[in-house]
Amino acid sequence: MEKITLLGVGAVGGALLCRNPNMLAKINVAVDAERKVRMQKDGIVVNGVSYFPQVAEHAPQDILLIAVKNTQLKGILSEMTPYVGQNTILVPLMNGISAVEVLQEAFPNQVVVPAVVYVDAQKTGNQIRVGEKYLVQIGGVDTEVLQAVQKVILDCGAECEIREDIQRCQWKKFMTNVGANQVSALTGATYADMTRIPEILETVKAAMQEVLAVAMTMGVDLQEEDIRQAIAVFQCWSGNGKCSMLQDVEAKRITEVEVFAGKVIALGKKYNVATPVNQTLYWLISAKQQIYTKS
């Protein structure tokens, strides 16, 4: 696997790419002409250190790592086409449970690797602050493909687990995002706030309970214990750390509410599971977006 390109150099992608400086010579980034000029001038600053990635040429890749926001994915599918050849492996390093479906529909002949990412990273401008932990879980396709992707992630200096229960892993992270991201987006809560303020914690749990109910109805292996484990994870992150959706709100960007609450609501309707908490979160976050994007 010699040709590897990263699409999306935000908090998730940039933090992975610059984790091991040696990988800057092995992984190129896919950016438009305007972003290319800015990157060549200013680079990416991760934990105070500047890095200058190489920009990919329009040519089929062996592996295409996709680390854009879900809100951007459908809009850039045509931009991905030059990088996708007959044997290109697509690896979405994205939140939610929808990215694999979107990519498989757009590129039906490609291998798309389900993945889950755990990283405490924040991006402001071209500057990224990231904690020590970076874990990627992958699975669901042939072992040979998984081992090739795992090697790339490990070479970047991150942890990478091949999981037979990747669907469970995806849903567990999805459940965490539905609770933590959305409540933090509305309240401004940091990770520390989520564990110390009862009203915030109870709302997070209530949103997660609806994901659990949907998952159990669908036959997905999620359990009540997974909610307790998800809450415990908050204590492992930097106390002042912020969920990605809160970062989006503070930057006045469109959030991923459609792939969080929107997805829960849609699945709830399909499987006849009530989702009033997520419906309320959806209304409030959507309204908040309309207020700060109206100009």
Side-chain angles (χ1 to χ4, degrees):
M1 297 294 174
E2 297 180 351
K3 297 180 180 179
I4 307 168
T5 286
L6 170 67
L7 179 61
V9 285
V12 173
L16 179 64
L17 176 65
C18 301
R19 197 170 183 85
N20 177 4
N22 293 329
M23 294 304 288
L24 292 171
K26 299 179 180 180
I27 300 179
N28 297 328
V29 299
V31 293
D32 59 25
E34 180 182 350
R35 185 71 182 276
K36 178 179 179 179
V37 172
R38 294 203 310 270
M39 185 170 294
Q40 289 175 334
K41 177 184 177 183
D42 302 324
I44 304 171
V45 183
V46 179
N47 291 343
V49 180
S50 296
Y51 301 90
F52 293 87
Q54 300 180 105
V55 176
E57 299 294 333
H58 282 182
Q61 301 296 301
D62 295 319
I63 296 178
L64 185 59
L65 304 170
I66 305 157
V68 298
K69 291 281 190 181
N70 279 284
T71 53
Q72 301 170 316
L73 182 58
K74 290 184 178 180
I76 64 165
L77 292 173
S78 60
E79 297 176 28
M80 290 173 53
T81 301
Y83 304 103
V84 179
Q86 182 177 356
N87 299 312
T88 303
I89 300 167
L90 306 180
V91 187
L93 304 173
M94 300 167 63
N95 284 325
I97 55 175
S98 305
V100 172
E101 298 173 5
V102 172
L103 289 169
Q104 203 70 80
E105 182 178 352
F107 302 100
N109 297 321
Q110 307 307 132
V111 174
V112 183
V113 180
V116 180
V117 178
Y118 287 94
V119 60
D120 180 8
Q122 301 180 51
K123 185 173 186 290
T124 305
N126 72 325
Q127 300 201 28
I128 299 171
R129 302 298 302 180
V130 60
E132 182 177 349
K133 180 182 177 65
Y134 200 122
L135 169 64
V136 182
Q137 298 170 324
I138 57 176
V141 298
D142 290 345
T143 300
E144 184 178 355
V145 172
L146 293 174
Q147 290 175 340
V149 173
Q150 183 185 46
K151 184 180 186 307
V152 172
I153 302 298
L154 292 175
D155 286 347
C156 287
E159 298 177 67
C160 186
E161 301 173 346
I162 295 176
R163 302 289 298 249
E164 294 184 1
D165 61 342
I166 192 62
Q167 183 192 50
R168 168 176 163 76
C169 294
Q170 284 188 301
W171 272 80
K172 189 172 180 179
K173 176 68 183 301
F174 175 59
M175 181 175 67
T176 303
N177 282 335
V178 166
N181 267 276
Q182 299 189 128
V183 176
S184 72
L186 289 172
T187 63
T190 62
Y191 291 122
D193 293 331
M194 290 182 196
T195 58
R196 72 180 182 85
I197 300 176
E199 291 81 0
I200 291 176
L201 184 58
E202 290 306 313
T203 308
V204 169
K205 288 180 179 178
M208 288 185 181
Q209 286 285 354
E210 293 181 353
V211 178
L212 177 62
V214 169
M216 293 177 69
T217 302
M218 293 175 61
V220 177
D221 181 22
L222 275 188
Q223 304 166 14
E224 191 75 32
E225 176 61 24
D226 293 320
I227 294 180
R228 289 188 286 271
Q229 290 179 5
I231 297 299
V233 167
F234 300 153
Q235 298 176 344
C236 299
W237 301 118
S238 167
N240 294 325
K242 298 177 181 179
C243 294
S244 60
M245 187 178 280
L246 174 56
Q247 295 177 51
D248 288 337
V249 168
E250 290 180 339
K252 297 185 177 181
R253 295 188 291 257
I254 298 299
T255 72
E256 294 179 305
V257 68
E258 293 292 344
V259 297
F260 292 160
K263 186 68 172 181
V264 177
I265 294 164
L267 290 173
K269 290 178 179 178
K270 181 177 180 179
Y271 293 97
N272 197 30
V273 177
T275 57
V277 175
N278 276 279
Q279 181 65 75
T280 301
L281 292 172
Y282 181 88
W283 284 330
L284 292 174
I285 294 170
S286 297
K288 193 176 188 73
Q289 286 181 169
Q290 292 179 58
I291 290 170
Y292 65 64
T293 61
K294 63 182 179 182
S295 58

